[in-house]
Amino acid sequence: LTGVSREQRAFQYLLAHAIPGDPRHVLQTFDQWCYRREHLSSVGPVKGERDPGRRIVERLLYERAPLRVLELGTYCGYGTVLLAQGLPAGARLYTVEADPRHAAVAEKVIRLAGFEEQTVELIVGPSEEVIPRLREQHGLPKADFVFMDHRKRCYLRDLQLLESHRLLAKGATVLADNVLFPGAPRFLQYAKTCGKYRCKVHRASLEY
């Protein structure tokens, strides 16, 4: 009725309550909004970082220490901030969002958390169009770590695009969210049977 989207309302809440330049506090404030006000389809604290039993994203980043990270599906920037805060020194994160309205919110969230464009580059456009030009236009030679959190029906197509354009570094980690529900069965089948990957399913609850 107001013409202000849920995503914009969430950012206004962040502006009023989050500590600028403090990524963890930005994420905590985001969580407060989603628990108490309106649900947003972000990674959330259980799969993300603060639940001691299920620090999936944070733990994998620590173990792999990737220098080049690709995120497909920025949405409001929650996952982007989560990834960026776990990067080693000198690393760079490329995040891709198809919806310009979501990208506009995410850009503000990322900068509010204190990450400059030298560390986090937000690319607006459909993933199937962005992936083929990542090397030439955005300077991504190969990704050490890929986080998929966009449309589940795009997971398999985009993984195969990354393969065909040789954008996966040797030993790269591909982390895909929500593959069981709402589900990405063709992606899972391919990952398990193509012979290119060691596949592990991390079980977690839905966010919030």
Side-chain angles (χ1 to χ4, degrees), residues 56-57 60-61 63-66 68-70 143-148 159 162 167-176 197-198 202:
I56 298 169
V57 177
L60 286 173
L61 283 172
E63 291 173 356
R64 306 293 193 268
R68 296 292 178 267
V69 176
L70 174 64
D144 306 304
F145 192 102
V146 178
F147 181 48
M148 293 185 170
L159 179 62
L162 290 168
L167 286 165
L168 294 176
K170 185 177 180 180
T173 298
V174 179
L175 182 61
Y197 305 98
R198 288 179 295 169
H202 301 265

Short mmCIF file of all heavy atoms in Angstrom, two decimals, residues 56-57 60-61 63-66 68-70 143-148 159 162 167-176 197-198 202:
data_model
loop_
_atom_site.label_atom_id
_atom_site.label_comp_id
_atom_site.label_asym_id
_atom_site.label_seq_id
_atom_site.Cartn_x
_atom_site.Cartn_y
_atom_site.Cartn_z
N ILE A 56 27.88 -23.42 8.50
CA ILE A 56 28.27 -24.05 7.24
C ILE A 56 29.08 -23.09 6.37
O ILE A 56 30.21 -23.39 5.97
CB ILE A 56 27.02 -24.55 6.48
CG1 ILE A 56 26.30 -25.61 7.31
CG2 ILE A 56 27.41 -25.11 5.13
CD1 ILE A 56 24.93 -25.97 6.80
N VAL A 57 28.53 -21.93 6.08
CA VAL A 57 29.20 -20.99 5.19
C VAL A 57 30.50 -20.50 5.83
O VAL A 57 31.56 -20.51 5.20
CB VAL A 57 28.28 -19.78 4.86
CG1 VAL A 57 29.02 -18.77 4.00
CG2 VAL A 57 27.01 -20.26 4.16
N LEU A 60 33.22 -23.28 5.95
CA LEU A 60 33.80 -23.60 4.65
C LEU A 60 34.73 -22.49 4.15
O LEU A 60 35.78 -22.75 3.57
CB LEU A 60 32.70 -23.85 3.62
CG LEU A 60 31.97 -25.19 3.77
CD1 LEU A 60 30.79 -25.27 2.82
CD2 LEU A 60 32.93 -26.36 3.52
N LEU A 61 34.35 -21.24 4.40
CA LEU A 61 35.23 -20.14 4.01
C LEU A 61 36.55 -20.20 4.77
O LEU A 61 37.62 -19.97 4.21
CB LEU A 61 34.54 -18.80 4.28
CG LEU A 61 33.47 -18.37 3.28
CD1 LEU A 61 32.75 -17.12 3.78
CD2 LEU A 61 34.08 -18.10 1.90
N GLU A 63 37.97 -22.88 6.06
CA GLU A 63 38.75 -24.04 5.62
C GLU A 63 39.37 -23.82 4.25
O GLU A 63 40.52 -24.20 4.01
CB GLU A 63 37.85 -25.28 5.58
CG GLU A 63 37.40 -25.79 6.94
CD GLU A 63 36.40 -26.91 6.83
OE1 GLU A 63 35.99 -27.26 5.69
OE2 GLU A 63 36.00 -27.45 7.88
N ARG A 64 38.63 -23.20 3.35
CA ARG A 64 39.10 -23.06 1.96
C ARG A 64 39.94 -21.80 1.73
O ARG A 64 40.77 -21.77 0.83
CB ARG A 64 37.91 -23.05 1.00
CG ARG A 64 36.96 -24.23 1.12
CD ARG A 64 37.62 -25.54 0.70
NE ARG A 64 36.64 -26.59 0.54
CZ ARG A 64 36.27 -27.45 1.49
NH1 ARG A 64 36.79 -27.34 2.69
NH2 ARG A 64 35.38 -28.39 1.25
N ALA A 65 39.70 -20.75 2.51
CA ALA A 65 40.40 -19.46 2.35
C ALA A 65 40.47 -19.03 0.88
O ALA A 65 41.55 -18.80 0.34
CB ALA A 65 41.80 -19.55 2.96
N PRO A 66 39.32 -18.91 0.20
CA PRO A 66 39.33 -18.60 -1.23
C PRO A 66 39.69 -17.14 -1.51
O PRO A 66 39.31 -16.24 -0.76
CB PRO A 66 37.88 -18.87 -1.65
CG PRO A 66 37.10 -18.57 -0.41
CD PRO A 66 37.96 -19.00 0.74
N ARG A 68 39.10 -15.81 -4.73
CA ARG A 68 38.13 -15.34 -5.70
C ARG A 68 36.81 -16.07 -5.46
O ARG A 68 36.72 -17.28 -5.65
CB ARG A 68 38.62 -15.58 -7.14
CG ARG A 68 39.88 -14.80 -7.50
CD ARG A 68 39.60 -13.30 -7.57
NE ARG A 68 40.79 -12.51 -7.87
CZ ARG A 68 41.58 -11.97 -6.96
NH1 ARG A 68 41.31 -12.14 -5.67
NH2 ARG A 68 42.63 -11.26 -7.31
N VAL A 69 35.80 -15.29 -5.04
CA VAL A 69 34.51 -15.87 -4.68
C VAL A 69 33.43 -15.33 -5.60
O VAL A 69 33.40 -14.12 -5.88
CB VAL A 69 34.16 -15.56 -3.20
CG1 VAL A 69 32.78 -16.09 -2.85
CG2 VAL A 69 35.22 -16.16 -2.27
N LEU A 70 32.54 -16.20 -6.06
CA LEU A 70 31.42 -15.81 -6.90
C LEU A 70 30.12 -16.18 -6.20
O LEU A 70 29.93 -17.34 -5.80
CB LEU A 70 31.50 -16.52 -8.26
CG LEU A 70 30.31 -16.33 -9.21
CD1 LEU A 70 30.17 -14.87 -9.63
CD2 LEU A 70 30.46 -17.24 -10.44
N ALA A 143 37.08 -18.94 -10.28
CA ALA A 143 36.52 -18.83 -8.93
C ALA A 143 37.00 -20.01 -8.08
O ALA A 143 36.95 -21.16 -8.52
CB ALA A 143 35.00 -18.79 -8.98
N ASP A 144 37.44 -19.69 -6.87
CA ASP A 144 37.83 -20.72 -5.91
C ASP A 144 36.63 -21.23 -5.11
O ASP A 144 36.66 -22.33 -4.57
CB ASP A 144 38.87 -20.18 -4.93
CG ASP A 144 40.07 -19.57 -5.62
OD1 ASP A 144 40.70 -20.28 -6.42
OD2 ASP A 144 40.36 -18.38 -5.38
N PHE A 145 35.60 -20.37 -5.03
CA PHE A 145 34.44 -20.67 -4.19
C PHE A 145 33.22 -20.06 -4.86
O PHE A 145 33.23 -18.88 -5.22
CB PHE A 145 34.64 -20.05 -2.80
CG PHE A 145 33.66 -20.51 -1.75
CD1 PHE A 145 34.03 -21.46 -0.79
CD2 PHE A 145 32.37 -19.98 -1.68
CE1 PHE A 145 33.14 -21.86 0.19
CE2 PHE A 145 31.48 -20.39 -0.71
CZ PHE A 145 31.86 -21.33 0.23
N VAL A 146 32.18 -20.85 -5.06
CA VAL A 146 30.93 -20.37 -5.67
C VAL A 146 29.78 -20.65 -4.70
O VAL A 146 29.63 -21.77 -4.20
CB VAL A 146 30.65 -21.08 -7.02
CG1 VAL A 146 29.33 -20.59 -7.61
CG2 VAL A 146 31.80 -20.85 -8.00
N PHE A 147 29.00 -19.61 -4.44
CA PHE A 147 27.81 -19.76 -3.60
C PHE A 147 26.58 -19.51 -4.45
O PHE A 147 26.39 -18.40 -4.99
CB PHE A 147 27.86 -18.79 -2.42
CG PHE A 147 26.68 -18.91 -1.49
CD1 PHE A 147 26.25 -20.14 -1.02
CD2 PHE A 147 25.99 -17.77 -1.07
CE1 PHE A 147 25.17 -20.26 -0.16
CE2 PHE A 147 24.90 -17.87 -0.20
CZ PHE A 147 24.49 -19.12 0.25
N MET A 148 25.74 -20.52 -4.62
CA MET A 148 24.52 -20.41 -5.41
C MET A 148 23.32 -20.23 -4.49
O MET A 148 23.04 -21.10 -3.65
CB MET A 148 24.32 -21.66 -6.27
CG MET A 148 25.35 -21.84 -7.36
SD MET A 148 24.93 -23.25 -8.41
CE MET A 148 26.10 -23.03 -9.75
N LEU A 159 25.99 -23.96 -13.30
CA LEU A 159 27.17 -24.75 -13.00
C LEU A 159 27.84 -25.21 -14.30
O LEU A 159 29.07 -25.13 -14.45
CB LEU A 159 26.79 -25.97 -12.15
CG LEU A 159 27.95 -26.91 -11.79
CD1 LEU A 159 29.00 -26.19 -10.95
CD2 LEU A 159 27.44 -28.15 -11.07
N LEU A 162 29.62 -22.32 -15.90
CA LEU A 162 30.91 -22.09 -15.24
C LEU A 162 31.94 -23.10 -15.73
O LEU A 162 33.11 -22.76 -15.96
CB LEU A 162 30.76 -22.19 -13.73
CG LEU A 162 29.98 -21.05 -13.05
CD1 LEU A 162 29.66 -21.41 -11.61
CD2 LEU A 162 30.76 -19.74 -13.11
N LEU A 167 35.64 -21.42 -15.57
CA LEU A 167 35.67 -20.42 -14.51
C LEU A 167 35.80 -21.04 -13.12
O LEU A 167 35.80 -20.32 -12.12
CB LEU A 167 34.42 -19.54 -14.58
CG LEU A 167 34.41 -18.52 -15.71
CD1 LEU A 167 33.01 -17.96 -15.93
CD2 LEU A 167 35.38 -17.38 -15.42
N LEU A 168 35.93 -22.36 -13.05
CA LEU A 168 36.11 -23.03 -11.77
C LEU A 168 37.58 -23.41 -11.61
O LEU A 168 38.13 -24.14 -12.44
CB LEU A 168 35.24 -24.28 -11.68
CG LEU A 168 33.72 -24.05 -11.65
CD1 LEU A 168 33.00 -25.39 -11.67
CD2 LEU A 168 33.31 -23.25 -10.43
N ALA A 169 38.20 -22.90 -10.56
CA ALA A 169 39.59 -23.25 -10.29
C ALA A 169 39.68 -24.71 -9.88
O ALA A 169 38.71 -25.32 -9.44
CB ALA A 169 40.15 -22.36 -9.18
N LYS A 170 40.87 -25.28 -10.03
CA LYS A 170 41.07 -26.66 -9.60
C LYS A 170 40.82 -26.75 -8.10
O LYS A 170 41.33 -25.95 -7.32
CB LYS A 170 42.50 -27.09 -9.91
CG LYS A 170 42.77 -28.55 -9.60
CD LYS A 170 44.17 -28.94 -9.99
CE LYS A 170 44.43 -30.42 -9.66
NZ LYS A 170 45.81 -30.84 -10.03
N GLY A 171 39.98 -27.69 -7.70
CA GLY A 171 39.65 -27.86 -6.29
C GLY A 171 38.64 -26.85 -5.77
O GLY A 171 38.47 -26.71 -4.55
N ALA A 172 37.95 -26.16 -6.66
CA ALA A 172 36.96 -25.15 -6.24
C ALA A 172 35.82 -25.78 -5.44
O ALA A 172 35.48 -26.95 -5.63
CB ALA A 172 36.39 -24.44 -7.47
N THR A 173 35.26 -24.99 -4.55
CA THR A 173 34.09 -25.40 -3.77
C THR A 173 32.84 -24.74 -4.33
O THR A 173 32.84 -23.52 -4.56
CB THR A 173 34.26 -24.98 -2.29
OG1 THR A 173 35.39 -25.64 -1.74
CG2 THR A 173 33.02 -25.35 -1.48
N VAL A 174 31.81 -25.52 -4.58
CA VAL A 174 30.52 -25.00 -5.01
C VAL A 174 29.51 -25.30 -3.91
O VAL A 174 29.25 -26.47 -3.60
CB VAL A 174 30.06 -25.63 -6.34
CG1 VAL A 174 28.70 -25.08 -6.75
CG2 VAL A 174 31.09 -25.38 -7.44
N LEU A 175 28.98 -24.25 -3.31
CA LEU A 175 28.00 -24.39 -2.22
C LEU A 175 26.65 -23.91 -2.72
O LEU A 175 26.53 -22.76 -3.16
CB LEU A 175 28.45 -23.58 -1.01
CG LEU A 175 27.58 -23.63 0.24
CD1 LEU A 175 27.48 -25.04 0.79
CD2 LEU A 175 28.13 -22.69 1.31
N ALA A 176 25.65 -24.77 -2.70
CA ALA A 176 24.32 -24.43 -3.23
C ALA A 176 23.28 -24.55 -2.13
O ALA A 176 23.18 -25.59 -1.47
CB ALA A 176 23.97 -25.36 -4.39
N TYR A 197 32.78 -34.05 -9.14
CA TYR A 197 32.68 -33.45 -7.81
C TYR A 197 32.58 -34.50 -6.72
O TYR A 197 32.04 -35.58 -6.95
CB TYR A 197 31.45 -32.53 -7.73
CG TYR A 197 31.41 -31.47 -8.80
CD1 TYR A 197 30.66 -31.66 -9.96
CD2 TYR A 197 32.14 -30.30 -8.67
CE1 TYR A 197 30.64 -30.70 -10.96
CE2 TYR A 197 32.13 -29.33 -9.66
CZ TYR A 197 31.37 -29.53 -10.81
OH TYR A 197 31.36 -28.58 -11.79
N ARG A 198 33.09 -34.15 -5.55
CA ARG A 198 32.75 -34.88 -4.34
C ARG A 198 31.59 -34.13 -3.71
O ARG A 198 31.69 -32.94 -3.45
CB ARG A 198 33.94 -34.92 -3.38
CG ARG A 198 35.07 -35.83 -3.85
CD ARG A 198 36.24 -35.82 -2.88
NE ARG A 198 36.85 -34.49 -2.84
CZ ARG A 198 37.75 -34.11 -1.93
NH1 ARG A 198 38.08 -34.94 -0.96
NH2 ARG A 198 38.28 -32.91 -1.98
N HIS A 202 24.51 -30.86 3.33
CA HIS A 202 24.47 -30.34 4.69
C HIS A 202 23.00 -30.10 5.05
O HIS A 202 22.33 -29.30 4.41
CB HIS A 202 25.23 -29.00 4.78
CG HIS A 202 26.66 -29.09 4.38
ND1 HIS A 202 27.69 -29.28 5.28
CD2 HIS A 202 27.24 -29.03 3.16
CE1 HIS A 202 28.84 -29.32 4.64
NE2 HIS A 202 28.60 -29.16 3.35
#
